[in-house]
């Protein structure tokens, strides 16, 4: 993501610097707050530093959450790996064995390019799982969460309590949901498809 031109001239924004999480590529993270930045958040690499640009009014909790989201996003962009449909199906099989005792057995798993307002879908009657191509390049744990979400729908069709209890077997559910919520907010989409409590039609279950 390129540097924000708003921060190239004039009074410099207030900023803070901290060390990144263990394993991060950059040696330090600098958060710059701007009163001119209202809603958007962006980040870029500057040498061995990661610069995160946020609105001045953000709370510390929001700042921490957005730093995590943007670090994940940068890491995904820098190490894009696109799984083919065969690899995606094999991954789903491994996840089913690991978290659902192998009980979720999709007939087909593949990428599609016609899901721009949802991350994935499952048609239990056909045993088919479809993932949006927009997930390609996102962190592995996010793709795994969407796969687990759709695999769980093969066992529990709706988004009721039984479904969410089943999905709790995947340990990074909340982090992955936070990442996707951050992407949705950044893209200014109207909502997070598949949010807890959202209803779906009887034939197709969507994330």
């Amino acid at each position: 993501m390129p540097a924000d031109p708003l921060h190239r001239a004039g009074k410099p924004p207030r900023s803070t610097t901290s060390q990144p999480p263990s394993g991060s590529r950059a040696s330090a993270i600098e958060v710059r707050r701007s009163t001119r930045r209202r809603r958007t958040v962006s980040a870029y690499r500057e040498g061995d530093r990661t610069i995160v640009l946020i609105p001045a009014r953000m709370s510390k909790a929001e700042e921490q959450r957005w730093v995590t989201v943007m670090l994940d996003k940068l890491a995904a962009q820098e190490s894009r790996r696109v799984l083919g449909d065969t690899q995606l199906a094999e991954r789903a099989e491994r996840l089913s064995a690991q978290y659902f005792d192998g009980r979720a057995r999709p007939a087909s798993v593949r990428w599609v390019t016609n899901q721009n307002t949802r991350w994935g879908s499952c048609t239990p009657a056909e045993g088919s799982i479809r993932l949006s191509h927009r997930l390609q390049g996102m962190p592995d744990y996010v793709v795994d969460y969407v796969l687990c979400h759709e695999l769980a729908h093969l066992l529990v069709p709706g988004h009721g309590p039984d479904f969410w209890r089943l999905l709790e077997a995947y340990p990074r559910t909340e982090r992955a949901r936070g990442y996707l919520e951050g992407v949705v907010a950044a893209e200014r989409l109207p909502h997070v498809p598949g949010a807890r409590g959202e209803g779906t039609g009887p034939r197709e279950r969507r994330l």
Side-chain angles (χ1 to χ4, degrees):
M1 278 162 279
D4 190 326
L6 291 176
H7 295 287
R8 292 177 182 168
K11 184 179 179 180
R14 184 160 54 94
S15 66
T16 58
T17 302
S18 61
Q19 294 301 314
S22 176
S24 176
R25 171 186 157 185
S27 62
I29 302 161
E30 181 176 345
V31 178
R32 296 179 182 174
R33 292 172 173 263
S34 171
T35 56
R36 291 177 293 182
R37 183 175 286 267
R38 300 299 181 183
R39 297 178 59 185
T40 60
V41 176
S42 61
Y44 61 95
R45 305 291 191 194
E46 189 176 83
D48 63 351
R49 303 168 73 80
T50 299
I51 311 300
V52 181
L53 309 173
I54 65 173
R57 61 181 175 78
M58 269 194 182
S59 67
K60 290 298 294 183
E62 289 174 320
E63 173 186 319
Q64 292 173 2
R65 174 173 169 271
W66 274 103
V67 166
T68 299
V69 168
M70 299 311 290
L71 286 176
D72 280 342
K73 194 168 185 177
L74 282 175
Q77 290 178 341
E78 292 164 350
S79 58
R80 290 186 181 276
R81 291 187 303 114
V82 178
L83 300 174
D85 289 347
T86 299
Q87 295 168 305
L88 196 64
E90 293 172 350
R91 192 164 181 164
E93 183 178 353
R94 289 196 300 271
L95 290 169
S96 176
Q98 185 173 359
Y99 298 113
F100 305 119
D101 298 322
R103 293 181 295 125
R105 299 177 181 178
S108 65
V109 183
R110 64 183 177 86
W111 298 105
V112 293
T113 58
N114 62 349
Q115 294 189 8
N116 294 318
T117 59
R118 62 193 184 205
W119 300 112
S121 64
C122 172
T123 307
E126 299 175 0
S128 63
I129 289 175
R130 303 290 180 259
L131 263 60
S132 171
H133 72 288
R134 295 188 302 132
L135 289 163
Q136 294 174 345
M138 288 190 185
D140 288 348
Y141 74 90
V142 176
V143 177
D144 286 351
Y145 162 71
V146 178
L147 280 172
C148 284
H149 187 111
E150 304 309 338
L151 286 167
H153 275 314
L154 293 176
L155 304 175
V156 180
H159 282 113
D162 289 344
F163 172 82
W164 293 108
R165 278 194 293 270
L166 185 65
L167 193 55
E168 285 174 358
Y170 181 62
R172 305 184 82 176
T173 288
E174 291 306 317
R175 184 180 178 190
R177 285 185 58 79
Y179 180 94
L180 292 174
E181 287 170 353
V183 171
V184 169
E187 295 177 352
R188 298 183 181 179
L189 293 179
H191 68 294
V192 180
R196 193 181 295 261
E198 177 182 289
T200 58
R203 177 177 176 274
E204 186 173 67
R205 305 298 173 183
R206 303 173 181 176
L207 170 64

